[in-house]
Amino acid sequence: MRISEVWSELSPELNHRVLEAGYLHDKVLYRKLNQEMARGLGKRPKVLKEMPRKERHELYRALLGMPIYMVIAQNLTINWLSHEATSLLTTFLDQLGVEHDGKGCAEEFPEEVVKPKLIKAMKALLDQGDRDGALFYLWIFPDISGIEWKEYDKALEEVAAT
């Protein structure tokens, strides 16, 4: 799924966590977010900056679900994954046997992964306790990694239903 398709389905809490990671770890990205959202909402950035962040972030959630904001949503998500949710990245890649840098960045992926192995790796993420974060990552994984595994969507639908 495209990140824009998934973003509007995020819980308010996960939306806030992802955007808060941008605020904490990448001021340039967060400033760009505020500028883009102000333009999209027809407001001045200063007006939005004066709002409490949690309230502002909820206002941004609907816009970030639009395809026009896909790049900034993707950058915010990657920022969140790399700073706040690296265990999602590393656990999933470890379970799949994909070599990575210890922080979840992989250079190469196998051409295909069988469904039972995918299901096991996906369940390992869900077992970590952050179901919303894990499902968000799993839904967007093909989009951010460029993989096209035949069994991926079927495995994810099966795991998400449990």
Side-chain angles (χ1 to χ4, degrees):
M1 274 186 157
R2 307 293 300 180
I3 198 163
S4 56
E5 295 172 294
V6 180
W7 198 285
S8 59
E9 301 297 320
L10 290 183
S11 67
E13 189 265 329
L14 181 56
N15 173 71
H16 178 64
R17 284 177 24 216
V18 173
L19 297 182
E20 190 70 5
Y23 175 80
L24 294 172
H25 302 290
D26 193 334
K27 298 296 186 195
V28 173
L29 175 61
Y30 195 80
R31 193 172 17 251
K32 178 73 171 165
L33 168 69
N34 282 332
Q35 291 168 347
E36 291 295 320
M37 297 297 101
R39 189 173 308 131
L41 293 165
K43 298 186 180 286
R44 292 187 343 226
K46 183 180 179 191
V47 172
L48 294 174
K49 286 169 88 174
E50 291 172 353
M51 295 174 72
R53 280 197 312 275
K54 198 164 194 170
E55 184 180 323
R56 177 183 343 145
H57 292 167
E58 182 57 25
L59 192 60
Y60 293 176
R61 187 162 59 108
L63 288 178
L64 288 167
M66 297 177 166
I68 191 170
Y69 298 112
M70 184 178 70
V71 172
I72 197 159
Q74 193 167 30
N75 286 329
L76 287 160
T77 302
I78 291 168
N79 177 72
W80 169 70
L81 287 167
S82 64
H83 288 98
E84 303 284 332
T86 54
S87 67
L88 292 175
L89 301 167
T90 57
T91 298
F92 191 58
L93 296 175
D94 287 344
Q95 289 289 318
L96 293 174
V98 174
E99 288 187 37
H100 58 87
D101 66 355
K103 296 177 185 176
C105 292
E107 296 291 324
E108 295 180 28
F109 294 95
E111 296 234 356
E112 197 59 58
V113 176
V114 294
K115 188 176 173 185
K117 192 172 189 176
L118 284 168
I119 288 173
K120 182 182 175 201
M122 291 172 178
K123 284 183 177 181
L125 286 190
L126 295 177
D127 289 346
Q128 287 186 340
D130 180 9
R131 183 175 176 85
D132 284 348
L135 286 173
F136 178 46
Y137 170 65
L138 291 171
W139 281 116
I140 64 165
F141 176 74
D143 195 34
I144 63 174
S145 66
I147 61 103
E148 294 180 7
W149 298 330
K150 288 182 237 171
E151 298 292 331
Y152 189 89
D153 289 340
K154 291 176 192 171
L156 181 52
E157 287 174 18
E158 188 175 314
V159 169
T162 60

